[in-house]
């Protein structure tokens, strides 16, 4: 048998065809020519065409694999493709979210933001692509509306879509302000013309959304049968009842840990007094939050480099910025945006959302929170993992970006989140700022993950409402009521995604114990951490296979999460 070079060539060819169908995904992957001057068809026929294409891709890839000896990475890539097909079928046929959620702008905005702020070309070139796409927004929105010709939208998601549409012109204003004095007049004139075209289209789209709102339905749950199918497709290793027990048991366990630590932190020994103590150690102004977070990221990077428990690539630039206004309703605290797979360079920006009050600033961005936030998002968390995995196979990302249109969210997050959710505790255990305030933040994050998993299960199965868990979520996390509502609405917008935090965290711990227990004194922590980061673009079940194969010479059987 020959090597798998033909397998790689096939997949490169198929990717090119896929991105021709989905040029917006090419942009988000960091492939800009010629895709930044193309728009996808957004009607229902496009969804079906994508599914058929992926199924044909899988058939061709398996045929090629049968004729070649595949490497471990190629075998994992083939499995990732199969999981992408499973995802496409589920979200196209079983749970067709594409004709339930009328929000196409919350994803369009970040794509245009990526074009405006990434460093792949001179700013005039980047903004020319943004201008071109804005000028085609009328056709894009018109095609999108045909998805709902005979289908009502979900009320909750329609409200989000209305908010996004109302705020989108402010985002376009930000782009125009950015362009002034930075691009030639001819580009600026065209951008203003495109902006006017887009604003007219947005007015028409907003009127349509408000009409849809009047006939929208409250129900969005997928139900128990489809939820259990989703768990199987994700290879989580639990059914719904086991998933609920896992979330509830983990939540109770971390509640006990929080109570013990609160008694040590304050004279009163109660959770609320401990929270007030943390809030008293906060930056005074929002601008100080941005500076403190950027400094914290660099401090954490230096600690990881000196500690030697994970590889830190020499290049990598991490910055902070305020969340653009149009994105703020969807990101009540902030979010991380990193260089894409094919972008040149290693860079990331964490966008912090400006709190409305001084009290919210203290609650969201106290110093201990900034420490754990940067551990999770920068070093040694998401950004370091993405840097380490930069040159790994692009097919590892297929379950995340392939198989749906711009709306449907990925569900390969569990391995990447497993690493990021473990990162702050790893730093704490290594002696990085090991004070009780940081420890309490780590525990509060665990409470959020496990309670969130429980809420996610029940929302997916139609067994709870957003309002039912708000008070408990406030009590567990210390968020404001508005913040808790926003978090739970996020779970409802991305059904099944929040499970990734708790399940990934737990499976990562079990994998480390399995490898270290089997290898004994020969276990190398740095090698294990590096191997996991190299495979963390994959879903957790496949990341586990890759780590075991490279560390121990075996992929091992699929592992079920232990109960209790």
């Amino acid at each position: 048998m020959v090597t798998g070079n033909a397998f790689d060539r096939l997949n490169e060819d198929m990717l090119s065809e896929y991105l021709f169908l989905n040029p917006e995904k090419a942009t988000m992957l960091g492939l800009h020519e010629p895709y930044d001057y193309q728009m996808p068809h957004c009607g229902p026929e496009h969804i079906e065409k994508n599914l058929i294409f992926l199924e044909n891709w899988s058939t061709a890839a398996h045929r090629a694999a049968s004729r070649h000896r595949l490497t471990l990475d190629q075998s994992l890539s083939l499995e990732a493709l199969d999981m992408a097909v499973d995802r496409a079928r589920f979200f196209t046929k079983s749970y067709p979210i594409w004709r339930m959620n009328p929000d196409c702008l919350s994803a369009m905005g970040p794509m245009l933001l990526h074009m405006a702020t990434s460093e792949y070309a001179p700013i005039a070139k980047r903004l020319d692509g943004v201008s071109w796409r804005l000028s085609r927004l009328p056709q894009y929105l018109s095609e999108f509306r045909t998805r709902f010709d005979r289908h009502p939208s979900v009320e909750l998601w329609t409200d989000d879509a209305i908010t996004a549409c109302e705020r989108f012109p402010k985002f376009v204003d930000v782009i125009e302000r950015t362009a002034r004095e930075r691009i030639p007049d001819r580009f600026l004139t065209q951008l203003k013309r495109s902006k006017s075209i887009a604003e007219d289209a947005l007015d028409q789209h907003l009127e349509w959304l408000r009409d849809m709102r009047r006939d929208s339905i409250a129900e969005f749950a997928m139900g128990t049968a489809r939820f259990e199918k989703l768990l199987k497709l994700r290879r989580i290793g639990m059914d719904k009842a086991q998933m609920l027990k896992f979330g509830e048991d983990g939540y109770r366990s971390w509640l006990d840990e929080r109570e013990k630590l609160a008694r040590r932190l304050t004279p009163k020994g109660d959770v609320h007094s401990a929270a007030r103590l943390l809030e008293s150690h906060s930056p005074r102004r929002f601008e100080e939050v941005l500076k403190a977070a950027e400094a914290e990221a660099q401090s954490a990077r230096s600690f990881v480099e000196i500690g030697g428990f994970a590889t830190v690539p020499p290049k990598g630039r991490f910055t902070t910025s305020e969340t653009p206004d149009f994105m703020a309703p969807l990101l009540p605290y902030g979010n991380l945006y990193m260089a894409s797979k094919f972008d040149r360079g290693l860079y990331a920006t964490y966008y912090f959302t400006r709190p409305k009050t001084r009290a919210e600033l203290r609650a969201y961005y106290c110093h201990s929170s900034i420490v754990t936030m940067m551990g999770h998002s920068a070093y040694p968390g998401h950004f370091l993992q993405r840097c380490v995995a930069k040159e790994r196979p692009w097919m590892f990302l297929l379950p995340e970006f392939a198989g749906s249109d711009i709306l449907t969210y990925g569900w390969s997050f569990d391995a990447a989140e497993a690493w990021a959710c473990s990162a702050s505790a790893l730093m704490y255990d290594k002696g990085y700022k090991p004070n009780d305030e940081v420890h309490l933040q780590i525990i509060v994050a665990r409470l959020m993950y496990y309670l969130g998993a429980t809420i996610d299960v029940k929302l997916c199965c139609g067994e709870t409402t957003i309002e039912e868990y708000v008070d408990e979520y406030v009590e567990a996390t210390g968020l404001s009521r508005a913040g808790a509502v926003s978090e739970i609405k996020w779970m409802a917008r991305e059904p099944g995604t929040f499970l990734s935090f708790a399940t990934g965290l737990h499976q990562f711990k079990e994998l480390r114990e399995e490898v270290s227990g089997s290898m004994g004194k020969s276990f190398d922590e740095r090698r294990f951490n590096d191997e996991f980061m190299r495979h963390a673009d994959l879903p957790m079940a496949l990341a586990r296979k890759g780590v075991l194969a490279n560390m121990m010479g075996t992929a091992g059987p699929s592992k079920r999460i232990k109960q209790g």
Side-chain angles (χ1 to χ4, degrees):
M1 299 181 74
V2 297
T3 63
N5 290 337
F7 177 82
D8 291 337
R9 288 194 297 272
L10 167 72
N11 290 311
E12 294 286 349
D13 291 343
M14 297 301 279
L15 177 66
S16 295
E17 291 186 45
Y18 178 78
L19 296 181
F20 177 77
L21 291 173
N22 301 276
E24 80 287 0
K25 293 185 181 291
T27 295
M28 295 306 290
L29 283 170
L31 296 170
H32 298 282
E33 291 289 351
Y35 304 107
D36 285 0
Y37 292 87
Q38 298 173 3
M39 287 283 273
H41 191 287
C42 220
E45 61 271 26
H46 177 69
I47 307 298
E48 185 67 27
K49 186 180 293 186
N50 262 341
L51 175 58
I52 293 171
F53 181 86
L54 277 172
E55 290 173 333
N56 291 339
W57 183 352
S58 177
T59 299
H62 277 277
R63 188 182 304 119
S66 69
R67 298 194 295 266
H68 302 91
R69 181 185 298 113
L70 300 187
T71 66
L72 173 64
D73 281 351
Q74 289 171 327
S75 295
L76 292 171
S77 295
L78 185 58
E79 286 199 72
L81 172 58
D82 289 339
M83 292 188 76
V85 174
D86 288 340
R87 171 182 182 263
R89 288 198 191 105
F90 183 82
F91 284 116
T92 301
K93 302 291 188 182
S94 300
Y95 184 60
I97 197 171
W98 58 273
R99 67 184 186 204
M100 301 160 64
N101 186 346
D103 182 8
C104 61
L105 293 172
S106 293
M108 178 66 72
M111 179 186 71
L112 297 179
L113 179 69
H114 178 79
M115 294 173 66
T117 59
S118 296
E119 301 170 359
Y120 60 89
I123 188 168
K125 174 69 173 175
R126 303 194 320 257
L127 291 180
D128 187 52
V130 170
S131 175
W132 189 92
R133 277 180 160 159
L134 285 174
S135 71
R136 269 64 179 181
L137 199 58
Q139 181 179 349
Y140 177 83
L141 295 175
S142 176
E143 291 168 353
F144 176 79
R145 291 192 288 268
T146 64
R147 299 180 181 197
F148 298 87
D149 285 348
R150 295 183 300 277
H151 301 282
S153 60
V154 171
E155 181 181 295
L156 171 67
W157 299 339
T158 307
D159 287 340
D160 288 340
I162 289 172
T163 299
C165 193
E166 289 172 337
R167 286 181 171 264
F168 200 83
K170 295 182 179 180
F171 166 62
V172 181
D173 288 340
V174 170
I175 291 178
E176 184 185 359
R177 288 198 300 271
T178 300
R180 291 173 190 164
E181 301 180 0
R182 300 184 67 184
I183 63 175
D185 288 344
R186 63 186 180 90
F187 286 109
L188 186 59
T189 299
Q190 180 57 48
L191 179 60
K192 289 180 178 179
R193 189 177 299 120
S194 297
K195 176 187 172 186
S196 177
I197 292 171
E199 287 173 342
D200 289 343
L202 289 167
D203 287 341
Q204 181 182 355
H205 192 65
L206 182 59
E207 184 178 345
W208 173 80
L209 284 170
R210 288 170 176 161
D211 288 341
M212 288 291 293
R213 176 65 172 78
R214 285 191 283 271
D215 297 321
S216 61
I217 58 176
E219 182 60 44
F220 61 83
M222 64 181 70
T224 298
R226 286 186 289 190
F227 178 69
E228 294 204 330
K229 180 178 181 179
L230 179 63
L231 291 177
K232 289 180 180 178
L233 294 177
R234 290 182 57 175
R235 308 185 191 183
I236 285 179
M238 287 188 289
D239 59 20
K240 175 220 170 182
Q242 292 168 325
M243 189 73 240
L244 269 178
K245 186 175 187 305
F246 168 74
E248 290 166 351
D249 288 352
Y251 179 57
R252 283 193 297 268
S253 173
W254 286 107
L255 274 178
D256 292 341
E257 291 297 315
R258 186 185 64 169
E259 296 294 333
K260 293 175 188 176
L261 186 55
R263 287 195 293 270
R264 195 163 73 232
L265 263 171
T266 64
K268 288 186 177 181
D270 66 283
V271 171
H272 296 289
S273 296
R276 301 295 85 76
L277 173 66
L278 269 59
E279 292 172 10
S280 69
H281 301 151
S282 305
R284 299 183 63 183
R285 299 169 57 247
F286 178 70
E287 289 73 19
E288 294 174 14
V289 172
L290 302 181
K291 293 179 181 178
E294 206 161 306
E296 174 57 37
Q298 296 311 310
S299 173
R301 174 187 174 127
S302 297
F303 184 86
V304 177
E305 285 181 310
I306 294 169
F309 51 89
T311 295
V312 179
K315 296 181 179 180
R317 179 165 49 84
F318 187 93
T319 58
T320 61
S321 183
E322 182 175 353
T323 303
D325 184 69
F326 83 98
M327 293 168 60
L330 298 176
L331 303 173
Y333 316 111
N335 203 23
L336 177 68
Y337 286 86
M338 296 185 283
S340 300
K341 184 67 177 178
F342 298 109
D343 276 333
R344 287 175 288 183
L346 301 170
Y347 54 89
T349 298
Y350 194 97
Y351 288 97
F352 286 85
T353 301
R354 185 183 291 268
K356 294 181 176 63
T357 65
R358 167 76 175 135
E360 286 186 352
L361 186 146
R362 291 195 302 267
Y364 300 165
Y365 303 135
C366 62
H367 287 299
S368 55
S369 174
I370 291 172
V371 170
T372 55
M373 196 182 302
M374 292 300 98
H376 180 104
S377 299
Y379 295 97
H382 281 302
F383 182 49
L384 177 59
Q385 183 271 316
R386 183 59 60 88
C387 290
V388 170
K390 177 71 173 177
E391 303 304 323
R392 302 291 287 142
W394 56 264
M395 286 187 73
F396 285 8
L397 290 167
L398 276 172
E400 180 178 337
F401 76 80
S404 68
D405 70 330
I406 201 168
L407 287 179
T408 309
Y409 301 95
W411 46 281
S412 63
F413 300 136
D414 44 4
E417 288 300 345
W419 174 255
C421 291
S422 303
S424 294
L426 174 63
M427 294 286 276
Y428 179 85
D429 292 341
K430 293 292 182 183
Y432 183 73
K433 301 186 178 179
N435 60 69
D436 286 343
E437 293 185 26
V438 170
H439 190 193
L440 183 59
Q441 293 289 354
I442 293 170
I443 291 174
V444 168
R446 299 300 192 266
L447 289 171
M448 183 184 295
Y449 302 154
Y450 282 94
L451 179 58
T454 300
I455 297 171
D456 196 1
V457 172
K458 291 188 175 183
L459 284 172
C460 283
C461 295
E463 296 176 2
T464 192
T465 63
I466 290 171
E467 293 76 19
E468 184 176 341
Y469 272 95
V470 170
D471 290 339
E472 187 171 1
Y473 206 76
V474 169
E475 176 67 21
T477 64
L479 298 176
S480 67
R481 185 172 182 82
V485 169
S486 181
E487 284 273 312
I488 299 174
K489 281 186 175 180
W490 172 51
M491 298 176 201
R493 276 198 305 272
E494 303 186 26
T497 298
F498 209 89
L499 302 177
S500 299
F501 297 105
T503 58
L505 183 71
H506 193 82
Q507 288 174 315
F508 175 79
K509 181 175 179 287
E510 286 197 328
L511 177 60
R512 179 190 164 97
E513 290 173 352
E514 180 180 356
V515 175
S516 61
S518 296
M519 298 186 72
K521 292 182 179 180
S522 64
F523 176 72
D524 184 328
E525 182 185 28
R526 180 185 180 118
R527 183 185 170 202
F528 174 82
N529 289 337
D530 287 353
E531 282 293 341
F532 191 86
M533 285 192 287
R534 291 174 70 248
H535 290 88
D537 287 346
L538 288 161
M540 188 67 186
L542 302 186
R544 180 177 181 274
K545 283 188 175 185
V547 172
L548 289 176
N550 283 332
M551 293 287 290
M552 299 166 57
T554 174
S558 296
K559 188 130 180 122
R560 295 177 67 88
I561 294 180
K562 294 177 183 176
Q563 299 296 303

